[in-house]
Amino acid sequence: ASSVLVSFRAQVKKPLVDGTSITNIAMVYSDQFSPRPSNEVTVPVEAAPNFVLQKVAENITDPGEPLEAGDRVRYTLTLYNTGDEIATNTILRDTVPANTSYVDDSTTVGGVAFGVPDSGTLPLIAGITATAPSTAPVGDLYLDDGVAPYDEHFVVTFDVTVDNTVAQGSIITNQAFVKSTEKSTEVPSDDPST
């Protein structure tokens, strides 16, 4: 009796739902006998979103200069998914940093005014639904393919003004958080000190 060992690799397509099973059966046949199947091999797939939440602070009163009392700061949050599963019911939240005041109606999503009028309350405090690309179902964050136009990125901006009473040398910090059905523990952004 003789045997032949055949091996191959397969790449799993993304995205997949966590727990998806991939099943494979080999077939062998020849001129002397009809096709015979191998045993069935099933491999469960583990998949999850992986959030990248970048946050940048920019002094828009005096670009490139250190902040002073009364300066206006623009925060830009960029959220994308580098995992292998689509995130659903994605919620992004943030707060107004200490020693600052939110600038009314300054929140934008994808460059478009959001939640206007907001009566002086940052919409991110209650959390907003993150959807990307814009054609995706509401709350879905598709996988980032790394190719322009980067439409899988969800971008939010908002402005604050540094309080006039802030002490010289104070550090203003701010951090945003994101979660989804698949990642119920909030994932923080980086923490830009301004």
Side-chain angles (χ1 to χ4, degrees), residues 59-105:
N59 181 344
I60 59 174
T61 301
D62 292 311
E65 296 296 320
L67 288 176
E68 298 178 356
D71 282 352
R72 189 164 172 165
V73 180
R74 175 159 299 147
Y75 285 101
T76 301
L77 291 79
T78 304
L79 171 64
Y80 53 100
N81 178 3
T82 61
D84 45 25
E85 181 180 24
I86 294 171
T88 59
N89 301 309
T90 309
I91 302 295
L92 178 62
R93 73 172 186 86
D94 203 345
T95 58
V96 176
N99 298 311
T100 70
S101 300
Y102 173 66
V103 175
D104 294 11
D105 300 333

Side-chain angles (χ1 to χ4, degrees), residues 30-168:
S30 75
D31 293 337
Q32 288 78 31
F33 57 86
S34 59
R36 295 179 187 167
S38 70
N39 60 307
E40 181 177 287
V41 176
T42 300
V43 178
V45 174
E46 293 181 7
N50 182 54
F51 294 123
V52 176
L53 180 52
Q54 298 171 330
K55 189 164 193 179
V56 176
E58 176 188 6
N59 181 344
I60 59 174
T61 301
D62 292 311
E65 296 296 320
L67 288 176
E68 298 178 356
D71 282 352
R72 189 164 172 165
V73 180
R74 175 159 299 147
Y75 285 101
T76 301
L77 291 79
T78 304
L79 171 64
Y80 53 100
N81 178 3
T82 61
D84 45 25
E85 181 180 24
I86 294 171
T88 59
N89 301 309
T90 309
I91 302 295
L92 178 62
R93 73 172 186 86
D94 203 345
T95 58
V96 176
N99 298 311
T100 70
S101 300
Y102 173 66
V103 175
D104 294 11
D105 300 333
S106 66
T107 301
T108 69
V109 172
V112 177
F114 180 84
V116 174
D118 58 27
S119 303
T121 301
L122 174 64
L124 284 159
I125 291 173
I128 62 174
T129 303
T131 304
S134 59
T135 55
V138 173
D140 283 8
L141 194 64
Y142 283 18
L143 307 183
D144 177 37
D145 62 11
V147 178
Y150 306 107
D151 58 352
E152 299 87 6
H153 293 191
F154 184 76
V155 181
V156 178
T157 66
F158 68 94
D159 296 356
V160 297
T161 303
V162 179
D163 293 341
N164 289 324
T165 57
V166 69
Q168 182 74 19

